[in-house]
Amino acid sequence: MDLTFSPEQEALRSRLRAWLAENVARSGLKGPRPRSVDLDSETIARYKRWQQRLYEAGYVALSWPKEYGGQALDPVSQAIVNEEMLCAQAPALIGAMGLEMLGPTLITWGSEAQKRRYLPKILTAEEIWCQGYSEPEAGSDLAALKTRAELKGDCFVVNGQKVWTSGAQHADMMFCLVRTDPAAPKHHGISYLLIDMRSPGIRVRPLVQMTGERGFNEVFFEDVQVPAENLVGRLNEGWQVANATLVHERNMLGAVTQSQQLFGRLLALARSMRRNAAPLSRDPVFRQRLAALEIRVEAMKHHMYRLLTDRQKGRHSGLPGMINKLVGTELNYDLATAALEALGDAALAARDEPEALDHGFWPYEWMFSLGMIIGGGTTHIQKNIIAERGLGMPRIR
Amino acid sequence: MEFGLSESQEALKHTARQFLAQHGSAADVRAVFAQEDGFSRQLYRRMAELGWTAMLVGEEYGGLGLSVLDMALVLEEAGYAALPGPFVFSALLATCALVEGGSPSAKEAWLGSLAKAATIGTVALSGEGPGLELDALAARRAPGGGWLLSGTRKFVPYAHVADFMVAAAGKVEENGAPALFLVETKSPGLRVRLVSQMDLTRRVCRVAFDDVAVPVEAELRPGPALLERLLDLGALAIAADSLGGTERVLEMAVEYSKVRRQFGRPVGSFQALQHAAAEIVADLEPARALLWYAAHVADATPESFGRAAAMAKALLSEVFSRAAQRSVLMHGGIGFTWEHDLHIWFKRARFNESCFGSPAHHRERVARIAGY
Ligand SMILES: Cc1cc2nc3c(=O)[nH]c(=O)nc-3n(C[C@H](O)[C@H](O)[C@H](O)COP(=O)(O)OP(=O)(O)OC[C@H]3O[C@@H](n4cnc5c(N)ncnc54)[C@H](O)[C@@H]3O)c2cc1C
């Protein structure tokens, strides 16, 4: 065990801290937000600029290879950046799906041409990505997907429908799973395509989420032409690539920085609310709940450092690496639920009512965090994976 | 930044697992159920030969001078095996009390023999934190110098086999200020009574002090800080034990679920069982990282140890209890029998939950330290 940082890492931290102190306010953006929410085009442009500036300053995707715009630094350096962004309440990155999901997948599975073409624009948020996995008949059973792609000459022709596609309404590109061999067993006829969202034949219909915002969408494909070179990995063997992306997605959704941020905000809220003529944070029962949550957040923080160390040493994390999405998203929901209890009736007030406290942050966050328990593979599916792949419990379906 | 065990720590853990599989099986654990001592002296000597009782003793006293994290790994394995006996109370707590607060003569007198396991020590701290129940034992200045202790300490582990105990007492002449004394169990006026209790892998005693005289050199200093440190180390040790216990009950449940068949299929193929097992894993792995962290800071940054130990104890003792309960349920009727080994861990989990402070007590400490 060595919990100290190298001089280079410490230097990175203080450089970044100074940079953030100067630049967060200038971004014209408040707090973390993105994650594919309802944003007008001006705000989106501002978030893109923010990511670009951060990238130019050297603080995006530090561990990516140098030839694709990264700095080939260790994963701990990236963790330092995430921590500092959290402390500084820096705006979140609008290109997160590209940065955290597609980028790492392409680095492993993409062709040289694909890496050169797509990775740099992920870094600068010049191209925003969405994930076209789920379909009306293929949710938890993702491999049941039916969206069809036929190779005709040097193009795939895509027909079908995706659903729950977060951020499709303002995405430039989609990484998409399609069926290329309907006759093959279901896991062996799937391919992974990169699709330009401006292609003729694509129609995006936003869906309103329970939060009242448009976050995810239906996406319809009608004879959409996709260049054959946009195939990632081998034809019909996209399932493996799809799973690589899912692993990255689950780590992103379970990221502990999110939980740390929520806990900090919850504690501040509990200190500001009053119960029995004293701050709620002094209430013996609520303190117990707060402490139990802080302990879970702290445990996840060290768990993440453990996994980072594994990665740094090129070790496979196995079972411990399978729990992040399950634990992180459940924890975030519990944090938000505690905040709602703290708010009492104020939790009901609409965001812009004077009765709404803490800028109306929590009711939205509470619902959003429930969505994250479902997206990326539900809590049930995560438990299936842990039991069957992690513990080797018998699978009979 | 490197968060994880070193190669030598992995090896230490591995050796401990193998050694206890051979010499500390569930059958061996059962063999001491009915014995008053409550542990095998032969096994204890073997553990000493492996160096376990010398881990935290400095080299100048014939010890190995290893870290609290090293010790925590052995304790995790002890929990996995449900190892009976005074090991943790002697080799960690009584030993650390002397190493960190003993007078030169007390160190000289005891550390070497503790390392060799020729002596067994224990701690009589009971109560959940500094100040709490401290007045159950009072220390008065003796007319001719030294101290007179009177009162009782309940739930003192292995006092009936120990040579000495480190007892917490309130100093009468100093408004009950916390102090620690090394008291030999053969001292006149000391009475030890074994208390029969649920967890048959542990023995606890009620110790009555009737004007027990202890010399000046028997005081360990600084009392208040050292008492807090011992309580934190105790909490950490129990958390480590709980980590190992959780692994064991999970493993037993998973193995059983693969072989037991109902409705024409292994019960482990039922999702209710799969999810129960997955939930144990989801509890266990973050808790393991928290434990490593807490054990590490015990040596590396002692100022952050109190918070870390409180967190580890609050989390792990509940994780273990919850896992043990789930594991029993996953076994069905067989898990409820005396004959099946599972109740060994089920009850040990209950012991661990209250020993060195309940989860609620430690959560309140976390709240206080963070200044909620
Ligand atoms: C906020 C949000 C954003 C999303 N964003 C995207 C996106 O950007 N791109 C994308 O492709 N998808 C996205 N999704 C879709 C998401 O991946 C699916 O909703 C999810 O995988 C579940 O599929 P489903 O909705 O069809 O539910 P179903 O699969 O129909 O599940 C219904 C219920 O059955 C349970 N269940 C199903 N199968 C099993 C099983 N084998 N064992 C135990 N229980 C089972 C489920 O856990 C659930 O409780 C998003 C979802 C949400 C909520």
Side-chain angles (χ1 to χ4, degrees):
Chain A
M1 288 283 254
D2 173 12
L3 304 189
T4 59
F5 295 97
S6 70
E8 294 78 24
Q9 290 166 338
E10 290 293 3
L12 166 69
R13 192 188 286 280
S14 45
R15 247 189 355 258
L16 172 58
R17 196 171 284 181
W19 191 90
L20 288 170
E22 214 168 292
N23 289 280
V24 167
R26 262 195 233 160
S27 70
L29 294 163
K30 271 187 270 137
R33 214 119 203 261
R35 308 181 297 199
S36 70
V37 281
D38 231 353
L39 300 171
D40 57 56
S41 53
E42 194 191 318
T43 313
I44 289 173
R46 212 174 272 157
Y47 273 111
K48 286 188 167 190
R49 266 202 304 282
W50 164 246
Q51 182 175 324
Q52 183 170 3
R53 302 242 328 280
L54 198 69
Y55 171 67
E56 281 162 2
Y59 302 119
V60 174
L62 284 76
S63 51
W64 286 19
K66 285 194 178 138
E67 55 271 41
Y68 311 120
Q71 300 172 44
L73 288 179
D74 55 300
V76 172
S77 297
Q78 182 63 54
I80 289 173
V81 170
N82 300 346
E83 283 173 8
E84 289 303 316
M85 299 264 294
L86 167 82
C87 290
Q89 287 284 311
L93 300 185
I94 191 152
M97 295 230 261
L99 284 170
E100 311 244 3
M101 293 165 63
L102 179 65
T105 308
L106 280 185
I107 289 171
T108 311
W109 290 91
S111 68
E112 190 55 33
Q114 286 167 346
K115 293 183 205 183
R116 295 206 178 274
R117 159 67 185 83
Y118 296 110
L119 293 177
K121 292 186 176 179
I122 289 176
L123 292 169
T124 57
E126 195 177 329
E127 283 176 349
I128 300 293
W129 287 82
C130 64
Q131 176 189 29
Y133 275 31
S134 305
E135 297 180 6
E137 300 304 320
S140 299
D141 186 7
L142 180 59
L145 62 94
K146 291 199 200 105
T147 294
R148 184 82 172 89
E150 286 170 279
L151 191 53
K152 288 188 177 152
D154 52 6
C155 266
F156 287 99
V157 179
V158 180
N159 281 286
Q161 185 202 334
K162 295 290 169 183
V163 70
W164 320 131
T165 320
S166 298
Q169 72 271 41
H170 38 244
D172 304 290
M173 297 289 298
M174 170 190 277
F175 49 97
C176 184
L177 299 182
V178 292
R179 184 149 308 276
T180 37
D181 183 356
K186 70 177 180 181
H187 294 96
H188 293 283
I190 293 172
S191 300
Y192 194 109
L193 289 185
L194 308 178
I195 302 180
D196 186 334
M197 291 297 282
R198 275 173 280 269
S199 314
I202 293 187
R203 194 160 59 83
V204 176
R205 197 175 83 86
L207 297 168
V208 180
Q209 299 181 327
M210 68 152 76
T211 57
E213 291 195 333
R214 284 168 304 183
F216 47 36
N217 303 266
E218 290 178 304
V219 182
F220 300 93
F221 301 84
E222 208 182 310
D223 290 331
V224 175
Q225 305 235 339
V226 179
E229 74 220 26
N230 286 18
L231 172 74
V232 181
R234 284 188 309 172
L235 187 68
N236 296 327
E237 297 301 335
W239 184 246
Q240 251 184 311
V241 189
N243 270 301
T245 306
L246 280 175
V247 169
H248 296 304
E249 173 175 24
R250 288 169 186 160
N251 289 334
M252 170 182 84
L253 294 175
V256 71
T257 42
Q258 177 71 13
S259 314
Q260 288 171 299
Q261 185 202 324
L262 290 180
F263 180 77
R265 193 158 182 162
L266 168 64
L267 180 57
L269 176 72
R271 283 182 173 138
S272 73
M273 304 288 298
R274 297 187 75 76
R275 188 177 286 179
N276 300 325
L280 178 59
S281 59
R282 299 275 166 81
D283 175 80
V285 176
F286 204 75
R287 277 164 85 80
Q288 283 287 319
R289 186 153 170 195
L290 284 173
L293 288 164
E294 184 179 2
I295 292 168
R296 286 166 67 195
V297 174
E298 180 84 9
M300 277 306 274
K301 176 176 133 188
H302 299 299
H303 176 71
M304 292 298 180
Y305 269 111
R306 176 187 176 199
L307 298 183
L308 271 184
T309 300
D310 282 345
R311 228 170 74 205
Q312 197 147 330
K313 300 194 149 199
R315 285 194 300 241
H316 189 64
S317 295
L319 187 59
M322 296 180 178
I323 64 162
N324 303 350
K325 199 267 164 179
L326 170 63
V327 176
T329 57
E330 296 278 351
L331 176 54
N332 291 343
Y333 182 71
D334 291 349
L335 286 159
T337 306
L340 259 68
E341 162 166 343
L343 288 165
D345 286 344
L348 299 168
R351 200 195 294 244
D352 45 7
E353 290 288 346
E355 276 78 2
L357 301 174
D358 200 3
H359 310 284
F361 171 80
W362 289 105
Y364 175 85
E365 191 61 30
W366 175 64
M367 291 183 233
F368 181 86
S369 59
L370 178 57
M372 293 303 99
I373 288 178
I374 299 166
T378 68
T379 271
H380 302 138
I381 296 301
Q382 301 309 308
K383 289 179 187 173
N384 291 352
I385 293 172
I386 294 166
E388 292 174 355
R389 290 190 221 152
L391 296 172
M393 290 174 81
R395 178 188 185 120
I396 295 176
R397 292 278 148 68
Chain B
M1 164 62 61
E2 196 176 316
F3 194 99
L5 305 181
S6 66
E7 267 172 42
S8 63
Q9 286 169 332
E10 295 280 7
L12 172 69
K13 198 162 139 40
H14 182 70
T15 312
R17 170 82 47 118
Q18 286 191 319
F19 172 79
L20 289 173
Q22 200 180 348
H23 301 287
S25 70
D28 295 319
V29 173
R30 280 173 181 274
V32 303
F33 271 9
Q35 289 173 14
E36 190 174 303
D37 278 3
F39 73 111
S40 153
R41 289 181 190 266
Q42 195 193 357
L43 176 57
Y44 203 73
R45 273 194 300 275
R46 285 215 173 102
M47 286 158 56
E49 281 159 25
L50 285 179
W52 291 2
T53 49
M55 288 176 75
L56 297 181
V57 176
E59 287 168 15
E60 65 276 30
Y61 296 103
L64 300 172
L66 294 178
S67 70
V68 172
L69 177 56
D70 296 318
M71 175 53 94
L73 299 175
V74 172
L75 292 175
E76 178 190 336
E77 293 308 319
Y80 182 86
L83 177 73
F87 174 65
V88 55
F89 306 103
S90 184
L92 172 65
L93 298 176
T95 299
C96 279
L98 274 162
V99 167
E100 297 182 21
S103 64
S105 63
K107 286 185 184 174
E108 199 60 53
W110 298 104
L111 280 176
S113 70
L114 275 171
K116 289 197 297 268
T119 291
I120 291 173
T122 187
V123 290
L125 311 174
S126 56
E128 294 193 322
L132 256 154
E133 288 177 40
L134 209 58
D135 53 358
L137 186 60
R140 274 176 294 119
R141 287 190 185 282
W147 301 87
L148 289 174
L149 305 182
S150 43
T152 48
R153 282 263 165 249
K154 292 186 242 173
F155 297 101
V156 180
Y158 296 93
H160 66 312
V161 294
D163 300 288
F164 72 87
M165 69 188 74
V166 172
K171 285 183 174 171
V172 174
E173 286 92 349
E174 295 171 33
N175 281 326
L180 290 166
F181 299 95
L182 189 151
V183 187
E184 293 191 50
T185 46
K186 61 171 197 248
S187 308
L190 195 86
R191 270 176 304 126
V192 174
R193 189 175 72 78
L194 200 58
V195 177
S196 96
Q197 50 89 29
M198 183 195 292
D199 176 8
L200 296 175
T201 66
R202 264 86 167 240
R203 295 289 180 272
V204 296
C205 305
R206 178 192 180 87
V207 181
F209 298 74
D210 187 8
D211 275 344
V212 174
V214 292
V216 174
E217 319 80 76
E219 184 173 359
L220 299 122
R221 293 159 186 277
L226 186 58
L227 174 57
E228 205 167 313
R229 171 96 175 153
L230 290 180
L231 290 168
D232 287 337
L233 285 168
L236 176 83
I238 294 295
D241 187 275
S242 301
L243 176 66
T246 306
E247 284 169 36
R248 184 63 174 265
V249 296
L250 170 65
E251 201 175 288
M252 287 168 86
V254 168
E255 288 316 309
Y256 184 72
S257 80
K258 290 176 184 170
V259 294
R260 168 70 176 167
R261 298 177 70 88
Q262 284 290 280
F263 300 96
R265 55 197 259 201
V267 294
S269 65
F270 292 113
Q271 224 163 36
L273 271 69
Q274 295 193 343
H275 287 194
E279 283 158 15
I280 299 176
V281 175
D283 277 350
L284 175 66
E285 292 304 331
R288 181 196 308 281
L290 182 60
L291 182 95
W292 287 354
Y293 165 75
H296 173 71
V297 298
D299 289 317
T301 49
E303 66 281 6
S304 38
F305 181 47
R307 172 174 178 268
M311 286 186 157
K313 173 65 169 71
L315 185 63
L316 266 155
S317 53
E318 282 190 350
V319 163
F320 185 18
S321 289
R322 199 156 52 223
Q325 176 261 331
R326 284 186 171 127
S327 183
V328 170
L329 186 56
M330 289 172 74
H331 279 79
I334 192 81
F336 195 69
T337 62
W338 189 268
E339 185 190 348
H340 196 280
D341 292 329
L342 200 48
H343 71 101
I344 295 173
W345 283 271
F346 182 77
K347 293 168 186 170
R348 193 162 165 116
R350 185 54 250 180
F351 185 99
N352 285 8
E353 204 165 318
S354 62
C355 185
F356 289 111
S358 67
H361 165 75
H362 287 290
R363 282 192 291 268
E364 175 54 34
R365 285 185 62 207
V366 169
R368 221 178 315 126
I369 292 167
Y372 286 179

